Amino acid sequence: MSLDTISAEAPAYNFAYLDEQTKRMIRRAILKGIAIPGYQVPFASREMPMPYGWGTGGMQVTAAIIGPDDILKVIDQGSDDTTNAVAIRNFFKRTAGVAMTFRTADASIIQTRHRIPEEKLRSDQVLVFQVPIPEPLRFLEPRETETRKMHALSEYGLMHVKLYEDIAHHGHIATTYAYPVMVENRYVMDPSPIPKFDNPKLDNTPALQLFGAGREKRIYALPPYTRVKSLDFEDHPFSVQDWPDTQCAMCGATGVYFDEVILNDLGERMFVCSDSDYCEHRQEAGHFGAEHASYKERMK
Amino acid sequence: MSMTAPLAGFSDMAIQSQSGFRTLMNAMARPATILRAPEPLRAPAPMNPVAAMIALTLCDYDTMIWLDHGLMNGEGLTSFLRFHTGAPLAKSQAEADFAFIANPRKMGDIAAFPLGTDAYPDRSATLVLQVEALTNATGVVLSGPGIKDKTRFGAAPLPENFWPMMRANAARYPRGIDVIFCSMTELAAIPRSTHVGEGA
Amino acid sequence: MYVAVKGGEKAIANAHRLFAAKRRGDAGLPGLSVEQIVNQLSFAVDRVMGEGSLYDRELAAIAIRQAQGDLIEAIFLVRAYRTTLPRFGYSVALETAEMRIARRISATFKDLPGGQMLGPTFDYSHRLIDFALDADAPAEEPARSASGAEEMANIPRVIDLIGADGMMEEDPAPREDGSVGDLTREPLDFPADRDLRLQNLARGDEGFLLALGYSTQRGYARTHPFVGEIRMGEVEVGFFAEELGFEVTVGRVTVTECQMINQFTGSARMKPKFTRGYGLVFGHAERKAMSMSLVDRALRWKELGEEAGAAAQDEEFVLSHSDNIQASGFVEHLKLPHYVDFQAELDLIRTLHRDAETRAEGATNREAAE
């Protein structure tokens, strides 16, 4: 047998790719994370067949919890059809063979990058976040040895100083995504780079939320009904992005997170729901926005 | 020679341990919720089938197992665990990653197990207590992460000082141990983050 | 007109097909065989084995072919494969003093027991592109040493010769329980012991270590290095089999070892003596082994009571950024869509602009009123 024929034989991978020892190690970390909400549990993250920074933490968490009866939804930027979401969905299709869905309501596990679905999640659902930099204090203090001390002492003065400097400088807190939260009044946590628009959805939700950071080798969790408060000041309360007088051009929704789409070189633009499933669901129910073909038909 | 092969473990490791883990995860995420345990395993006495499922789901050669007196002396039990998990046995409570306790009435102080440190609260033990009954009808009032408002929880048999010890455990937060209760068919968990109120 | 972006899956599948076609190139030319890569691109193979942290020439060659010669991509393929392999245990420590030497040089002594053995090397060659190189022509048969392989296998290490005079620091004692750290099993924790640091450096990116090692030569944590010895050759890998109760040899690997000897002026705790920086890499990889030994020595500043402050001495900085699989993944993830967060930033800038306009209008109105 020549070396070339050896390479042609596909190796058999375990269910959901990871070997059982690795799954056990990740599972133990998940249980610890759930027991200590907001605390980043170190774990021996594995090299995955996708690059670090492309969702390997979320993939390892999903691979450790997923079973044959699960229905998986994968989104990136709120959409099921973005390149990263497609690649991760294909990975689990190939290695776990579980059912996939685009429908938020039908999913038992939702792996996400950068968004929380608009639809309220239920207690039988698990939301798995992909996290690039799990340490909320990292950009204020690059040293792990220092940030670990701050978490040990629940000493978060540095973070408050940073946010206050923003206010002094800009009149606003200038953090718009990955906006830090306080979990159960004990740990400051990075909610992953979701827009702060999604922060209120973290609080007191019926679904379990798991966070995986592969490259940085950390797992953390928010059990259901956990108190999660976005950091703010009495005279500068936390507020989320809003788009006054804006409707989704496709489904007419308001009060959701919007993608801004540039239409032409004259700078004309429109706004559409970032959550693609939410948008399609509304269109199926007969809600149309100004740019939707059916709406235009109706207006003729 | 009367060497007998250890009792069987999971017939489909990947699928059965996933199912067991998912139940454990849900139990830990929703403290005091009593769940029917999947994949019970026949293990040498006095280890109960749910505790055996937990051992095979979570333990391996990277975890130290501590067994209480009854389990340590269970005929063929240590070889059953070694064969299926490869986990080394802890010589003292202070070394344990997982502690299996068949007779909670004689469990002693839970603070003898690793509680983690302020910097690494995860370096702590998980206690698996075998009990006869679990209930949400009576017992202590619990609240905290994973519990919507409040819930009641009771397990028997437990030592008299159990709930005071659990209050002290919660007071050490984020340090502390996490507890999984298991009967012959069901399980429930109380992590360190749960506030233990009045009752019992 | 805007159509909700569907068909991403199709686009990705097609991108992969285009990529496969690019890999194959002109189908009229013969495809590369794994044997050709193993034999004729041995330095690429060695680098992929070293940083991929898996000793398997054929596998490394397969990865290089699949990665179209992108070595970091090939290293990534090997790492992702390695992580799925079952682990049987740890080998006993390699005994490099018993290496079957293919090349061995010392810069600290003109001659020494065992002699200087130049072996195969780029050194002393003129870097002129050989336009006449005939890839198919057999190479001229080199002269082989008359002495047998056995003789080549017991050449004392230079560092041990100097050590005998008490001018060289002792080899650090292993941990009492004989254990070594393994950052593939436990996430790296700071401060890290030397075993973990060396493991990290051995897997680290050659370019990153080269630049850091170079910086120590230019005064950023100067260590006055001398190449005590570089040796390259085959060593036996032994494995203690619990069930047999004795050590068995599982194979041989080619490694490059660099023992750097560094000047040390002494401190409150230690008399002046020579200190060591150590590098050990799979395959023939001198540049990497030397860089590793320079960085290893620089990272030892604390135990030697030296002053810190340079990049190469900063343990968290060095160890956190040495892995090219982590680094390339995170740098290249910037290609992924980020429009949700960008939208959030757009919104903030617009708000700040609106605030500024409101303030300016307020000022104009006040002026008008006055």
Side-chain angles (χ1 to χ4, degrees), chain B residues 107-122:
Chain B
M107 64 187 289
D109 190 354
I110 56 179
F113 293 100
L115 302 169
T117 63
D118 287 331
Y120 294 94
D122 56 307

Side-chain angles (χ1 to χ4, degrees), chain C residues 211-225:
Chain C
L212 280 175
Y214 175 47
S215 74
T216 69
Q217 290 180 283
R218 292 194 63 261
Y220 292 85
R222 190 163 176 222
T223 58
H224 307 267

Side-chain angles (χ1 to χ4, degrees), chain B residues 30-198:
Chain B
R30 293 170 178 78
T33 304
I34 299 167
L35 301 171
R36 176 153 207 91
E39 314 299 342
L41 274 175
R42 198 159 73 85
M47 181 167 262
N48 84 21
V50 180
M53 177 277 282
I54 295 171
L56 268 63
T57 297
L58 294 178
C59 300
D60 55 35
Y61 55 85
D62 280 336
T63 57
M64 297 277 264
I65 292 183
W66 185 82
L67 301 174
D68 76 352
H69 185 76
L71 292 169
M72 201 58 155
N73 292 296
E75 174 91 38
L77 182 55
T78 53
S79 58
F80 171 83
L81 290 174
R82 197 175 308 123
F83 181 79
H84 288 296
T85 70
L89 288 181
K91 288 186 193 71
S92 71
Q93 287 162 295
E95 287 181 342
D97 294 305
F98 287 88
F100 289 84
I101 295 163
N103 183 0
R105 265 178 302 207
K106 290 198 177 156
M107 64 187 289
D109 190 354
I110 56 179
F113 293 100
L115 302 169
T117 63
D118 287 331
Y120 294 94
D122 56 307
R123 296 179 182 174
S124 58
T126 301
L127 273 48
V128 180
L129 303 188
Q130 296 186 187
V131 292
E132 283 154 24
L134 299 167
T135 177
N136 290 129
T138 58
V140 289
V141 175
L142 302 175
S143 60
I147 302 172
K148 194 180 184 187
D149 308 322
K150 284 183 169 77
T151 187
R152 287 193 93 94
F153 179 75
L158 290 173
E160 254 175 39
N161 65 341
F162 183 77
W163 294 111
M165 285 196 297
M166 287 299 281
R167 283 188 195 102
N169 187 55
R172 286 181 203 109
Y173 187 84
R175 298 168 65 228
I177 49 99
D178 308 307
V179 181
I180 301 168
F181 300 87
C182 49
S183 70
M184 296 295 280
T185 55
E186 295 174 324
L187 62 84
I190 299 189
R192 69 195 80 182
S193 58
T194 299
H195 313 294
V196 181
E198 78 272 19

Side-chain angles (χ1 to χ4, degrees), chain A residues 12 19 35 60 79 126 157 190 201-202 205 218 223 227 229 233 246 269 275:
Chain A
D19 62 279
Q60 288 180 78
S79 163
V126 183
D190 182 300
K201 298 176 191 161
L202 298 162
T205 176
R218 296 290 184 273
R227 285 176 295 160
K229 190 181 178 311
F233 300 95
T246 304
R269 58 198 70 210
D275 184 335

Side-chain angles (χ1 to χ4, degrees), chain C residues 355-370:
Chain C
D355 286 358
E357 278 163 27
T358 314
R359 274 198 303 276
E361 272 172 33
T364 324
N365 291 347
R366 267 196 308 282
E367 272 169 31
E370 270 162 16

Side-chain angles (χ1 to χ4, degrees), chain C residues 67 85 99 105 110 133 137 173 191 195 203 211 250 255 257 289 313:
Chain C
L85 298 175
M99 178 186 285
I105 51 161
K110 185 176 183 201
L133 183 74
D195 52 352
R203 290 159 56 93
V250 291
V255 295
E257 180 185 57
Q313 292 169 303

